[in-house]
Amino acid sequence: MSDPTVLIAGRPEDTKNYENALMKLNVPFLVSLDAGQADAATHLLLPGGGDITPAFFGQTDRGSRSVDTELDILQFDILSRFTAQKKPVLGICKGLQLINVHFGGDITQHIDTAETHRWIGRDQFHYVFHGSLGRRDFFYQLYGNSVKVNSAHHQAVNRTGEGLVPVCRAGDNVIEGLAHAALPVLAVQWHPERLPDDGGESLFSYFLSLR
């Protein structure tokens, strides 16, 4: 079986933290929004960024920020190709929300508790808690019942997409992690690429182990 090659589906000026995280693990990667590159990669990383254009989940704009419709279209196209081929996908922050919308879910465009999810420095963290009935999901395998994370978002999953299972939530019940019941697709609302020390490496290593 070939070694993993990760496609980071983003604009190069916005993906340096993700590149650095993969370089620490000595994993080959490419940064591209060309869906034709999907066949050249074994794994897809959907990075964080602005908000998704609300029309993609059937809503008008109710407080979305930094919307980039062209970027959304390109990312959805790449995600569709990977899921059709049943290749592993990791979504981070916006990437989690893209995955949720791709599978038919929707988004709360501004959560009431947004201030508690506003990560502004290395010392501002909050806990997320295992939220699945089983213990076979990636969150429990990696972290057990809880872990301290660095979320930075004002939107959140509302209705979960088909096949997606919430695996962890914050103390305010906001979904902070998703896994697909049948596909190698997982997502977190926080930023493992920016966790201090080695706090995010276990998640990236788990993702890279998927085939």
Side-chain angles (χ1 to χ4, degrees), residues 15-37:
T15 61
K16 297 305 180 187
N17 287 336
Y18 305 95
E19 295 174 41
N20 290 337
L22 294 175
M23 283 191 287
K24 285 179 67 177
L25 295 171
N26 296 311
V27 176
F29 64 85
L30 59 153
V31 179
S32 178
L33 289 167
D34 179 0
Q37 298 281 1

Side-chain angles (χ1 to χ4, degrees), residues 127-132 139 144-147 167-171:
Y127 279 94
V128 295
F129 305 91
H130 186 237
S132 176
F139 184 87
N145 288 317
S146 66
V147 68
V167 297
C168 62
R169 296 175 183 266

Side-chain angles (χ1 to χ4, degrees), residues 38-71:
D39 292 338
T42 59
H43 292 62
L44 171 63
L45 193 160
L46 287 171
D51 296 335
I52 302 169
T53 303
F56 286 119
F57 48 91
Q59 296 181 14
T60 57
D61 192 330
R62 302 171 192 162
S64 292
R65 305 169 184 167
S66 303
V67 169
D68 185 337
T69 302
E70 179 186 32
L71 177 61

